[in-house]
Amino acid sequence: MKLRFILLNVAVGVIALLVLFPLAWMVSVSFMSTGEAANFPPPLLPSNFTFEHYRDLFVTQGMGRYMWNSFALATLATFLALLFTVPAGYAFAKLRFKGRERLFQILVAALVVPAQIGTLPLFLMLKSMGLVNTYAGALVPWLASIFGLFLVRQYSLSIPDEMLEAARIDGASEGQIFRRVVLPTLQPIIVTLALFVFLGSWNDFLWPLIILTDQSNYTLPVALAALSREHVQDIEMMMAGATITVAPVLILFLALQRYYIRGMLAGSVKG
């Protein structure tokens, strides 16, 4: 048993190193001098530690604006997704209304449809509404997620009906019950859903590329892709841009991973 435990930990350590090595090398290359990463064999650590690529990205390329665009869109997308999805998921779990089960089955069935199929109809609809090249148009796909609704609904099934009935007997309205009883109970899955939406919106490339035509409105992934066409040989600058893109969401995930794991584990066994 002791030998098995040691071998298991060694295997986990090796897998962790294999997963983390590309990320660590990306950060290392971002601090190398121009052209240093093109040497063979590629160096693991910079010979001359420099911030020139980060300085160039923010001072010359205006990466700070693109980072703000991504942060603003991801924050708004997260807020709006929670505003619409959490009450809807709770309603599907605990409130009675005609056609509830059939409607939920249709929504779950829609999960198998790739999101890319709806890209063209959604674009044409937003174009007719004059929302192309606007942040409002970029936020539309995040307003209500079927997967998020499913997560909240499954977690809400764990709320005891007796607790809700006791609140109703005490004279609490449905709004008061939702704010004071349901929301505190749903905290783990709310944080989990917020992480999903924020990470998805921050990393989204296809939809902002389609809907945002003005370069000043680009998000970070789109701006980085556009920059790579001009600096395709500048590996160090591209790695610096990738580090800027990955670092905020990685820090956010590490800070909230306790709630994320608790929400996923709890939600996986409800209902």
Side-chain angles (χ1 to χ4, degrees):
M1 292 296 294
K2 186 176 181 180
L3 178 61
R4 180 185 299 178
F5 178 77
I6 294 174
L7 291 176
L8 180 61
N9 280 271
V10 169
V12 171
V14 171
I15 294 173
L17 287 175
L18 291 175
V19 172
L20 292 176
F21 177 76
L23 182 64
W25 191 73
M26 175 188 72
V27 176
S28 177
V29 171
S30 70
F31 293 108
M32 293 182 183
S33 302
T34 302
E36 186 177 352
N39 296 330
F40 187 83
L44 295 179
L45 298 173
S47 58
N48 296 312
F49 196 87
T50 177
F51 285 94
E52 63 174 320
H53 306 297
Y54 291 96
R55 190 182 307 112
D56 189 19
L57 285 174
F58 283 98
V59 176
T60 306
Q61 307 297 336
M63 199 59 65
R65 178 179 180 82
Y66 305 133
M67 179 175 284
W68 168 251
N69 291 344
S70 287
F71 176 78
L73 282 174
T75 302
L76 285 173
T78 303
F79 172 76
L80 292 173
L82 295 179
L83 182 64
F84 288 104
T85 305
V86 174
Y90 165 72
F92 272 108
K94 292 299 180 180
L95 301 183
R96 302 292 178 181
F97 54 90
K98 186 176 181 180
R100 184 187 70 168
E101 297 301 327
R102 181 58 58 87
L103 180 58
F104 182 73
Q105 291 171 1
I106 294 174
L107 290 174
V108 172
L111 283 173
V112 303
V113 180
Q116 292 78 5
I117 291 179
T119 300
L120 180 58
L122 181 59
F123 176 81
L124 294 177
M125 182 182 69
L126 294 179
K127 182 180 179 181
S128 66
M129 298 170 63
L131 294 180
V132 173
N133 196 33
T134 65
Y135 291 149
L139 288 170
V140 167
W142 302 100
L143 294 181
S145 164
I146 298 177
F147 178 71
L149 189 149
F150 176 79
L151 279 180
V152 176
R153 187 255 186 188
Q154 294 303 104
Y155 196 93
S156 298
L157 290 174
S158 66
I159 301 176
D161 292 332
E162 294 79 8
M163 184 169 60
L164 302 178
E165 290 299 329
R168 293 188 181 103
I169 292 174
D170 289 339
S173 65
E174 291 298 329
Q176 290 174 328
I177 293 173
F178 181 74
R179 292 193 305 271
R180 299 179 183 180
V181 178
V182 176
L183 285 182
T185 307
L186 296 181
Q187 181 186 10
I189 206 64
I190 290 175
V191 175
T192 302
L193 179 59
L195 271 176
F196 268 123
V197 176
F198 190 92
L199 296 180
S201 178
W202 179 277
N203 294 321
D204 191 20
F205 173 76
L206 180 61
W207 182 245
L209 178 66
I210 294 173
I211 200 70
L212 300 176
T213 57
D214 190 348
Q215 185 174 352
S216 62
N217 292 332
Y218 280 178
T219 58
L220 201 52
V222 178
L224 190 60
L227 184 65
S228 66
R229 294 195 293 267
E230 304 174 8
H231 300 269
V232 65
Q233 299 296 332
D234 196 343
I235 302 175
E236 295 79 14
M237 179 182 287
M238 291 298 98
M239 290 299 181
T243 301
I244 293 172
T245 304
V246 170
V249 292
L250 182 60
I251 294 172
L252 178 65
F253 177 79
L254 292 176
L256 299 177
Q257 63 173 328
R258 176 166 59 93
Y259 298 98
Y260 171 81
I261 294 174
R262 188 170 69 180
M264 290 302 294
L265 290 178
S268 65
V269 297
K270 302 303 179 190

